Amino acid sequence: MKKTLLVVSTVLSMLFAGFAFSADSPCLADRHVAKGVKCEVCHVAPTPGAVVKVNKEKCLACHQSYEVLAQKTAKLEPNPHFNHMGAVRCTDCHTGHTKGQLMCNDCHKFDLQPK
Ligand code: HEC
Ligand code: HEC
Ligand code: HEC
Ligand code: HEC
């Protein structure tokens, strides 16, 4: 009995460790899909091979405005959502299916990592 419990808890903790890892690493698009945001919400008509670019209006339909986002990231220096670049495309940094990239670093060297 004790041995079975030990095995069960070991398996569970292994599963949990695996889960914690995968919950951390999926890309932005997959994290949205996991929260119930379907492919179609970002991609107008996701037929294989014909993917529509995601403009910022798509993102802002749920995330409101750059002003609201700027408040959420007010502690970041510099604020990625309030700066001299203005209201650029979200996908310049939040690339969707790949690790995010800070477009600012085309010119600067800021230590910020968009997810
Ligand atoms: C949160 C929004 C979002 C969701 C949800 C999403 N995608 Fe994307 N997808 C993007 C972005 C951003 C890009 C990059 C192109 C761009 O800048 O518009 C992209 C690009 C793609 C591409 C082009 C190849 C590539 O990797 O750049 C394919 C194919 C694709 N998505 C398929 C899907 C499928 C299938 C789903 C559902 C499982 C999905 N996407 C869900 C945002 C999203
Ligand atoms: C249908 C609504 C919807 C759309 C469209 C949408 N999001 Fe989201 N987004 C959400 C929800 C819901 C969350 C989870 C919020 C939370 O956990 O507090 C979220 C979380 C996020 C997060 C932070 C948490 C994480 O998982 O990274 C980022 C960054 C983000 N969205 C960026 C984007 C971008 C960029 C786009 C457009 C390409 C986009 N979202 C489109 C609903 C949406
Ligand atoms: C200059 C790069 C850049 C652009 C452009 C950008 N973001 Fe972000 N965003 C970041 C960084 C960096 C963070 C902090 C790390 C993270 O959570 O990804 C962040 C965080 C977020 C978060 C999480 C905020 C929280 O609650 O902590 C959301 C939601 C988000 N961005 C949505 C958007 C949307 C929607 C757009 C377009 C209107 C956008 N971002 C444009 C870089 C950017
Ligand atoms: C095309 C190049 C370019 C891009 C991309 C760019 N910047 Fe800049 N940025 C500049 C230049 C040029 C200056 C002025 C430099 C100076 O006065 O020394 C500047 C100045 C700044 C300053 C004030 C000076 C400093 O370094 O403290 C901040 C903060 C800043 N940028 C943040 C950002 C952020 C955040 C992004 C991304 C959303 C960004 N920049 C994208 C070129 C760029």
Side-chain angles (χ1 to χ4, degrees):
M1 182 62 189
K2 245 186 183 162
K3 204 177 172 190
T4 314
L5 274 179
L6 186 69
V7 170
V8 167
S9 72
T10 307
V11 169
L12 277 179
S13 61
M14 281 165 71
L15 279 176
F16 186 76
F19 177 75
F21 176 74
S22 60
D24 221 46
S25 47
C27 64
L28 183 86
D30 288 348
R31 292 197 306 273
H32 279 76
V33 171
K35 291 211 163 92
V37 180
K38 293 202 169 76
C39 317
E40 295 87 332
V41 177
C42 285
H43 301 290
V44 180
T47 41
V51 173
V52 184
K53 286 265 176 201
V54 187
N55 59 26
K56 68 170 183 285
E57 285 69 30
K58 274 270 150 58
C59 312
L60 289 176
C62 296
H63 291 288
Q64 297 168 276
S65 67
Y66 259 107
E67 289 72 25
V68 168
L69 291 166
Q71 280 166 22
K72 292 190 168 169
T73 50
K75 285 191 180 135
L76 297 184
E77 183 58 45
N79 191 331
H81 303 123
F82 181 67
N83 52 70
H84 70 90
M85 294 305 284
V88 296
R89 293 167 61 106
C90 312
T91 50
D92 286 354
C93 296
H94 301 284
T95 48
H97 299 261
T98 50
K99 196 170 178 240
Q101 58 181 52
L102 196 77
M103 60 84 117
C104 320
N105 288 353
D106 288 352
C107 305
H108 297 281
K109 277 188 182 156
F110 296 132
D111 192 17
L112 291 176
Q113 175 56 55
K115 290 185 279 188

